[in-house]
Amino acid sequence: MADTKKKLRSQSWFGAPGLHGFIHRSWMKNQGYPQDMFEGKPVIGICNTWSELTPCNGHFRELAEWVKRGVYEAGGFPLEFPVMSLGETLLRPTSMLFRNLASMDVEESIRANPLDGVVLLMGCDKTTPSLLMGAASVDIPTIGLSGGPMLKGNYKGQPLGSGTGLWQMSEDVRAGKMTSEEFVGAENAMSRSKGHCMTMGTASTMASMVEALGIGLPGNAAIPAVDARRYTLAQLTGRRIVQMVHEDMKMSQILTRKAFENAIRTNAAIGGSTNAVVHLLALAKRIGVELDLQDWDALGSQVSCLVNLQPSGKHLMEDFYYAGGLPVVLKELAERKLLHTDALTVNGKSIGENVASAECWNRDVIHTYDQPFKAEAGIAVLKGNLAPNGAVIKPSAGSPHLFKHRGRAVVFENIEHFYARIDDPNLDVDENCVLVLKNCGPKGYPGMPEVGNMPLPPKVLKKGITDMVRISDARMSGTAYGTVVLHASPEAAAGGPLALVQDGDMIALDVEARTLHLDVDEAILTKRREAWKPQPSPARGYVKLYVDHVLQADQGADLDFLVGKSGAEVARDSH
Ligand code: FES
């Protein structure tokens, strides 16, 4: 093992002579740490998003203990620290408003403390990108460890997936096909173990991105939270991060352009969430990799979906793990030359080496590339006068008969306007209309909430119709589905063309041609543009900082001054 003592950044705290060294060590000793812990062991921060308000990460204190076990075994000194935790189900107005705030907490906590390496404990949707983004801006040796998905929900003898099952049942209640007593029964049956959503929603997608990027150990994506092997993975992560410090293997050596290309193609192959687009664009900008929205279409849209998981398919993450998990998918991509097999991963091996021996145990869950679950299923990027900087759609979750569609716009000025009107029996709407929702982009709501998959009007649902074209500047839950155009950029609140759409305008969507067009004369649009007024800026606080500085969705919706990294250097303390 290399002697890393002289280059450990923690030694500038703990190895300092005189007054400073005394202060740095003595107060730490009140926790019972002996002197030798401060004498050149790699100090590993365990960045913990545990919170009882983030139920998906509720088991993270236990998970951290297993990471510590590994760190101690490898001769390191583990120190766990909390950062802002973002729970998807409780935070208002939307957890996405706080992703960048949490990333600032992570970045400054890592840089300001005597850490040589860090393990990121991530689970619920925004906890993964916020930790990766914050750590990337420091760029010390880092491993991501996801908390793992919940076990499968089960209601009336049928599997019940997080989110996906709920959206369907909610429509059934509104259509009068399900009683409210049954709805409560399903509520009790869906979330039945520790862990995050067990559909291929945003949390599972981002856990898969961690593995595909190579910033987590193999197996990270799918091992259920309560499976003993999740704890084994945590222990191995603890062992490995100490070695990474000895090797000085930084995050930027893993998060290369090749790694991002692997992740984009993997997202298509798993039928992953559209949210990954925004998060990976932001992460790439932090670490300094050139990546743009068009890359998602160019690299991923032709890639087939191999994984038959909700919301695109029928199985759940537990089934995915038992079938062989993400390594099987990566191996299929590698065999089709759709994976940069030489991309380095945190275990020191290439991603190709990691997946070479992967085996599939259930081809109904993970299809072969020759017989994919859905062909050409990646994210499609649409452009046109309604979204000059782009909008996205996830064809694998949509209805092919709507992919080329021209319809009359039914417009909602904001989400309150939507909820006030959608159940109105007098709303002038039918299944051929296009539902348009404005002012739900990064600046608009603010925070870009997951409301893009607008529920359908009851009068349409009662006809047995289950999908309509919907367009907005919002995001969509990774567990949701439908022919839903999202992330329209620039957003309405930034004066984008979406702001100009009015009831009765005709809109043409053509997914194959990648176009999204508002059929209104330019002269009329110019008049509407002149009459448009921006909404007032928030008066104070973080929300003001956010609205004043947030970038558009096609840029990753990061704050403009957070793009890039500052490294691990920090001024000496002043005492
Ligand atoms: Fe936390 Fe879905 S609500 S992962």
Side-chain angles (χ1 to χ4, degrees), residues 54-57 87-89 123-125 150 162 195-197 202-204 479:
T54 306
C56 307
N57 300 12
E88 201 62 28
T89 51
C124 199
D125 294 14
M150 289 186 265
S162 315
H196 59 67
C197 289
T202 303
S204 298
T479 61

Side-chain angles (χ1 to χ4, degrees), residues 16-150:
L19 171 77
H20 293 295
F22 181 108
I23 291 171
H24 296 143
R25 292 184 302 270
S26 179
W27 270 263
M28 289 294 286
K29 287 176 179 174
N30 78 350
Q31 299 175 89
Y33 298 119
Q35 171 65 20
D36 65 340
M37 299 307 286
F38 303 96
E39 294 178 342
K41 291 179 185 293
V43 179
I44 305 300
I46 302 174
C47 181
N48 201 338
T49 47
W50 168 84
S51 167
E52 288 178 340
L53 291 166
T54 306
C56 307
N57 300 12
H59 57 301
F60 278 18
R61 285 193 292 185
E62 192 185 352
L63 198 64
E65 290 305 315
W66 290 79
V67 177
K68 285 181 194 173
R69 188 189 278 211
V71 172
Y72 280 124
E73 284 173 343
F77 179 14
L79 292 170
E80 184 182 349
F81 64 98
V83 288
M84 185 181 193
S85 183
L86 304 178
E88 201 62 28
T89 51
L90 301 181
L91 277 172
R92 291 179 178 173
T94 168
S95 63
M96 183 63 176
L97 177 61
F98 307 110
R99 182 199 66 177
N100 303 335
L101 178 62
S103 81
M104 291 169 77
D105 180 358
V106 172
E107 175 181 346
E108 303 304 337
S109 295
I110 294 173
R111 184 180 298 113
N113 277 299
L115 303 178
D116 301 304
V118 65
V119 174
L120 309 174
L121 299 192
M122 317 177 287
C124 199
D125 294 14
K126 305 303 175 298
T127 58
T128 302
S130 59
L131 267 59
L132 289 173
M133 289 162 64
S137 289
V138 187
D139 197 17
I140 62 174
T142 301
I143 301 185
L145 174 65
S146 302
M150 289 186 265

Side-chain angles (χ1 to χ4, degrees), residues 10 43 98-99 117 130 154 232 278 348 369 371 377 383 454 474 510 571:
S10 63
V43 179
F98 307 110
R99 182 199 66 177
S130 59
N154 193 296
T232 305
V278 186
Y369 210 92
Q371 292 179 303
K383 287 207 173 160
M454 292 162 258
D510 188 337

Side-chain angles (χ1 to χ4, degrees), residues 320-432:
F320 186 43
Y321 181 54
Y322 301 151
L326 196 71
V328 175
V329 176
L330 296 173
K331 188 179 178 187
E332 290 283 341
L333 292 176
E335 287 171 354
R336 286 296 173 129
K337 308 257 181 284
L338 291 170
L339 193 78
H340 297 292
T341 52
D342 58 339
L344 182 65
T345 74
V346 285
N347 68 358
K349 296 182 183 167
S350 71
I351 198 159
E353 287 176 275
N354 286 344
V355 304
S357 60
E359 283 188 73
C360 183
W361 308 107
N362 187 338
R363 282 297 179 194
D364 189 47
V365 177
I366 309 174
H367 289 223
T368 62
Y369 210 92
D370 290 333
Q371 292 179 303
F373 175 54
K374 291 187 181 182
E376 300 186 6
I379 307 284
V381 176
L382 309 170
K383 287 207 173 160
N385 69 346
L386 199 44
N389 294 344
V392 304
I393 186 168
K394 180 178 170 185
S396 67
S399 306
H401 73 276
L402 292 172
F403 289 174
K404 191 173 169 89
H405 183 82
R406 190 169 182 275
R408 173 172 60 88
V410 177
V411 178
F412 307 96
E413 293 300 322
N414 51 44
I415 194 66
E416 289 77 20
H417 188 220
F418 172 81
Y419 284 123
R421 286 178 81 203
I422 193 65
D423 288 341
D424 182 350
N426 297 319
L427 181 67
D428 182 14
V429 64
D430 63 37
E431 60 271 29
N432 297 315

Side-chain angles (χ1 to χ4, degrees), residues 52 94 148 177-178 192 195 220 277 300 324 345 377 386 402 407 483 510 519 536 560:
E52 288 178 340
T94 168
K177 294 192 221 158
M178 187 179 198
R192 69 186 184 91
N220 180 72
V277 178
T345 74
L386 199 44
L402 292 172
T483 308
D510 188 337
D519 286 348
D560 52 12

